């Protein structure tokens, strides 16, 4: 659906001579990414508002996406599957935070374990985005920097009793760690099968 909308908009830009034919694919791809991001943000806001957890949702998704960009992890095979999986992860993560009481020490334990997983595996490559040695080095440094900043924020929030923010960051780490493990297991199975 997003692809069709972006193609129609790009077609109109082409007909109106706003863009050149040679640039069609670039604009179409850019618009598709823009519309996908807008849809993702709108979905997050709707879910957050309906659950009464708008700030937790924003912190959860922002923490996850910022770190995942460089840490890598599981990728869905189609944009629709990616959207649906992302929606389920948001609903699941916010539901756990809302309905399950998690002890502060368990939360700290989850922070430590998920951090170890993230830092151990990062960056996890994708078939569509293999990394050379220099990129791996740069991505790993970025993961460490982002992880340090987010973890400092999480610990400060824990100390000053802003447990909603702390828990949101912890669950972002847990989901990212699970995503990395799933991707690594898929790669291992694929290599073992060949």
């Amino acid at each position: 659906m997003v692809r069709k909308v972006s193609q129609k908009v790009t077609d109109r830009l082409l007909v109106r001579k706003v863009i050149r034919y040679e640039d069609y694919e670039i604009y179409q791809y850019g618009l598709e990414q823009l519309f996908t991001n807008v849809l993702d943000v709108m979905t997050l806001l709707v879910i957050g508002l309906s659950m009464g957890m708008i700030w937790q949702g924003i912190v959860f998704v922002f923490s996850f996406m910022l770190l995942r960009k460089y840490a890598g992890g599981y990728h869905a095979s189609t944009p629709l599957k990616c959207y649906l999986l992302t929606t389920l992860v948001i609903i699941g993560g916010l539901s756990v935070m809302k309905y399950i009481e998690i002890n502060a020490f368990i939360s700290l334990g989850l922070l430590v374990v998920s951090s170890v997983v993230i830092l151990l595996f990062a960056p996890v490559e994708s078939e569509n985005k293999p990394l050379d040695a220099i990129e791996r080095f740069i991505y790993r440094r970025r993961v460490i920097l982002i992880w340090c900043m987010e973890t400092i924020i999480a610990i400060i929030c824990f100390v000053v009793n802003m447990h909603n923010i702390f828990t949101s960051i912890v669950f972002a780490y847990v989901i990212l760690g699970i995503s990395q493990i799933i991707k690594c297991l898929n790669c291992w199975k694929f290599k073992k099968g060949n």
Side-chain angles (χ1 to χ4, degrees):
M1 179 177 94
V2 172
R3 178 167 286 160
K4 287 181 182 178
V5 171
S6 65
Q7 286 172 339
K8 286 183 180 184
V9 171
T10 309
D11 288 342
R12 287 187 185 238
L13 292 172
L14 187 63
V15 168
R16 293 185 179 169
K17 298 184 189 225
V18 175
I19 64 170
R20 297 178 307 178
Y21 180 76
E22 304 85 52
D23 298 331
Y24 181 90
E25 288 183 17
I26 295 169
Y27 279 91
Q28 190 273 321
Y29 177 77
L31 286 170
E32 187 175 333
Q33 295 305 305
L34 174 67
F35 294 150
T36 299
N37 290 338
V38 168
L39 180 62
D40 289 345
V41 169
M42 288 174 54
T43 301
L44 166 64
L45 293 175
V46 168
I47 293 168
L49 284 171
S50 66
M51 294 181 76
M53 300 178 73
I54 190 72
W55 289 111
Q56 293 94 325
I58 290 170
V59 171
F60 172 74
V61 170
F62 183 75
S63 298
F64 176 81
M65 295 306 292
L66 189 62
L67 195 52
R68 188 183 186 286
K69 179 175 182 176
Y70 299 106
Y74 176 77
H75 283 278
S77 56
T78 66
L80 178 59
K81 287 180 184 177
C82 180
Y83 173 76
L84 294 174
L85 184 60
T86 301
T87 302
L88 287 173
V89 165
I90 293 169
I91 292 170
L94 293 180
S95 295
V96 168
M97 286 186 261
K98 184 170 185 168
Y99 298 114
I100 297 177
E101 184 74 29
I102 298 178
N103 177 306
F105 292 107
I106 292 173
S107 294
L108 285 170
L110 288 172
L111 176 68
V112 170
V113 171
S114 57
S115 293
V116 168
V117 170
I118 291 166
L119 296 173
L120 182 67
F121 289 117
V124 176
E125 294 180 287
S126 155
E127 297 84 20
N128 298 333
K129 191 177 183 183
L131 303 173
D132 63 30
I134 294 171
E135 289 172 319
R136 286 186 62 74
F137 177 77
I138 292 169
Y139 277 43
R140 182 149 184 79
R141 287 186 65 178
R142 289 179 182 170
V143 166
I144 292 168
L145 177 65
I146 294 166
W147 174 83
C148 284
M149 289 188 306
E150 288 184 358
T151 302
I152 289 168
I153 292 168
I155 291 170
I156 290 169
C157 289
F158 180 79
V159 170
V160 298
N161 287 328
M162 294 176 68
H163 291 286
N164 289 338
I165 304 298
F166 170 75
T167 305
S168 299
I169 295 171
V170 169
F171 272 91
Y173 283 16
V174 169
I175 298 298
L176 179 58
I178 290 169
S179 171
Q180 288 180 307
I181 290 170
I182 290 170
K183 180 62 181 171
C184 289
L185 288 174
N186 284 347
C187 290
W188 181 72
K189 279 184 185 177
F190 179 75
K191 287 179 183 176
K192 190 176 179 185
N194 285 340

